Amino acid sequence: MAKAGMPPTEVIVASTRLAAETLRLDQLGTVAAGKSADFVVLDANPLEDIHNTRKISSVYLRGEKLDRAALLAKWQHPSTAP
């Protein structure tokens, strides 16, 4: 969307709120009381440069901070056991 010329603000809204509305996922898409607290904390402002969405500081799933290093290690070295 950004490559097509859409401003960063509109890309973020389309990718979050509007996507959730389109899919009728009323617990997702925005940060608000009573909704599922899944969100990403960034190290830089994506409104200044949409590529800043890749500068991830931390990730929260249902309000709990994920251990990104542990997940990465697990994905890079998956168990060979069935």
Side-chain angles (χ1 to χ4, degrees):
M1 290 184 270
K3 284 184 180 181
M6 188 180 279
T9 305
E10 292 179 26
V11 172
I12 293 167
V13 171
S15 302
T16 56
R17 183 176 55 96
L18 297 179
E21 287 174 3
T22 300
L23 297 171
R24 297 184 180 143
L25 300 170
D26 61 346
Q27 292 299 310
L28 304 175
T30 59
V31 177
K35 292 197 173 192
S36 182
D38 298 344
F39 59 93
V40 178
V41 178
L42 303 174
D43 287 325
N45 188 347
L47 301 180
E48 293 173 3
D49 182 348
I50 198 65
H51 294 98
N52 289 338
T53 57
R54 296 183 180 263
K55 297 179 180 178
I56 299 170
S57 173
S58 52
V59 178
Y60 289 79
L61 183 61
R62 290 184 221 65
E64 297 291 325
K65 187 174 182 179
L66 294 180
D67 184 346
R68 294 177 66 218
L71 287 173
L72 183 58
K74 185 176 180 181
W75 292 330
Q76 289 178 339
H77 307 288
S79 172
T80 57

